[in-house]
């Protein structure tokens, strides 16, 4: 993974041809389809955030050794699971994600938020046509950007980077086949356009941090939890139990 790490350090993201073994990936895809079918009427599929709080079965994949082996060379051997999110853009009216850095949205929960990483696993093919993620290579090295209220009232987020802080001319489309994945830094500038195509686009984001990052349990422990995934704690964090559900956390979000 040495060449890949060099690319990651310079560009802030990385592609991988496969993350999970085929049987494990298919099991996750089937599990997602059941969750999607069970969504309450009116709930948008782009907002299937923190599903592991109420579905401990997801830890079969969130704590999979192959996933942790991917992030360990990037963040070290002591790993905490910070969050996860099924981001599903339905065909025709899938919502866009404005340009942003993940760390901006996580700054009240973890410190330093910049140390976290996201694994983006393609449940469906993710293409230019159906709204794949776009990244600005190297933008993770430029520090925090400035934000304003998003101009897209239908977008997934209500905040976006100020346009002058985003050089769209250097944007790269991160196209992925089903079962492929990418990894990106919490400081990388990225976003994705709406899905106006006839093909659904779904990804599962799995978000990790080194255990040297402090989880602000005293501030957000009533609405969020982190989990020790590998190694030992280094910051005095409070970790949740991956064998139980925490529906009360969703009630407080």
């Amino acid at each position: 993974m040495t060449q890949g790490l060099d690319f990651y350090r310079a560009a802030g993201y990385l592609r991988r041809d496969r993350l999970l073994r085929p049987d494990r990936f298919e099991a996750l895809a089937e599990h997602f389809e059941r969750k999607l079918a069970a969504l309450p009427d009116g709930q948008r599929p782009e907002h299937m955030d923190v599903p592991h709080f109420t579905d401990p079965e997801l830890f079969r994949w969130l704590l999979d050794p192959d996933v942790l082996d991917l992030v360990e060379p990037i963040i070290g051997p002591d790993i905490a699971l910070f969050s996860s999110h099924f981001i599903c853009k339905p065909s025709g009216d899938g919502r866009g994600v404005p340009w942003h850095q993940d760390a901006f949205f996580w700054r009240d929960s973890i410190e330093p938020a910049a140390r976290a990483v996201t694994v983006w696993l393609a449940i469906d093919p993710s293409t230019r046509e159906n709204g794949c993620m776009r990244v600005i290579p190297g933008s993770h090295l430029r520090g925090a950007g400035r934000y304003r209220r998003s101009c897209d009232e239908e977008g997934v987020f209500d905040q976006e980077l100020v346009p002058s802080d985003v050089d769209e001319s250097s944007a790269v489309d991160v196209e992925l086949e089903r079962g492929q994945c990418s990894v990106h830094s919490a400081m990388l500038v990225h976003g994705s356009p709406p899905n106006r195509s006839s093909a659904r686009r779904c990804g599962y984001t799995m978000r990790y941090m080194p255990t040297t990052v402090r989880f602000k349990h005293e501030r957000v422990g009533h609405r969020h939890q982190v989990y020790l995934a590998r190694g030992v704690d280094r910051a005095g964090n409070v970790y949740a139990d991956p064998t139980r559900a925490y529906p009360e956390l969703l009630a407080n979000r």
Side-chain angles (χ1 to χ4, degrees):
M1 192 171 172
T2 303
Q3 184 176 3
L5 279 177
D6 289 343
F7 182 89
Y8 179 89
R9 292 187 183 110
Y13 75 102
L14 189 65
R15 287 187 181 95
R16 275 288 174 265
D17 284 340
R18 194 188 80 178
L19 178 63
L20 298 168
R21 297 190 304 277
D23 59 326
R24 293 187 66 78
F25 172 78
E26 293 301 336
L28 173 60
E30 292 170 7
H31 190 77
F32 164 73
E33 296 296 347
R34 290 192 293 271
K35 295 184 73 65
L36 181 65
L39 276 185
D41 290 343
Q43 182 174 331
R44 292 287 308 188
E46 293 95 340
H47 298 296
M48 298 172 69
D49 196 14
V50 292
H52 58 287
F53 285 169
T54 54
D55 184 2
E57 189 174 355
L58 287 170
F59 286 95
R60 290 174 52 194
W61 300 283
L62 293 167
L63 303 183
D64 187 287
D66 289 340
V67 179
L68 301 181
D69 286 348
L70 175 62
V71 300
E72 181 171 329
I74 298 172
I75 65 174
D78 300 313
I79 303 170
L81 172 74
F82 172 57
S83 196
S84 81
H85 187 173
F86 285 111
I87 304 178
C88 180
K89 294 183 183 182
S91 61
D93 69 343
R95 295 182 176 180
V97 180
W99 291 110
H100 68 284
Q101 297 162 302
D102 293 335
F104 173 78
F105 296 101
W106 302 343
R107 66 196 186 283
D108 292 333
S109 300
I110 55 176
E111 177 65 36
R115 295 291 313 282
V117 301
T118 293
V119 177
W120 204 106
L121 174 62
I123 302 295
D124 301 323
S126 185
T127 67
R128 294 181 183 89
E129 289 72 27
N130 68 6
C132 70
M133 184 170 68
R134 309 187 76 213
V135 303
I136 308 295
S139 56
H140 65 304
L141 302 174
R142 300 170 195 161
R146 298 169 295 160
Y147 284 79
R148 69 175 191 183
R149 186 164 187 81
S150 175
C151 294
D152 182 4
E153 294 183 358
E154 295 296 319
V156 172
F157 297 149
D158 62 0
Q159 297 285 313
E160 66 180 1
L161 281 163
V162 171
S164 59
D165 286 353
V166 181
D167 179 12
E168 291 197 42
S169 67
S170 63
V172 172
D173 295 303
V174 184
E175 294 191 294
L176 299 170
E177 295 296 330
R178 188 171 184 270
Q180 293 182 335
C181 76
S182 63
V183 187
H184 66 264
S185 163
M187 292 299 291
L188 184 72
V189 174
H190 63 290
S192 62
N195 180 12
R196 302 294 184 241
S197 78
S198 60
R200 188 187 74 178
R201 191 221 71 165
C202 175
Y204 190 32
T205 65
M206 298 173 275
R207 310 183 191 276
Y208 302 90
M209 64 186 195
T211 65
T212 53
V213 170
R214 189 175 75 86
F215 171 56
K216 300 179 182 179
H217 187 271
E218 71 287 350
R219 180 170 182 172
V220 297
H222 64 293
R223 58 184 175 87
H224 196 88
Q225 293 287 348
V226 296
Y227 301 78
L228 184 63
R230 175 177 283 179
V232 298
D233 175 64
R234 302 289 183 184
N237 288 324
V238 175
Y239 295 105
D241 179 358
T243 67
R244 59 156 289 198
Y246 293 86
E248 67 275 14
L249 299 178
L250 295 186
N252 293 325
R253 291 176 73 86

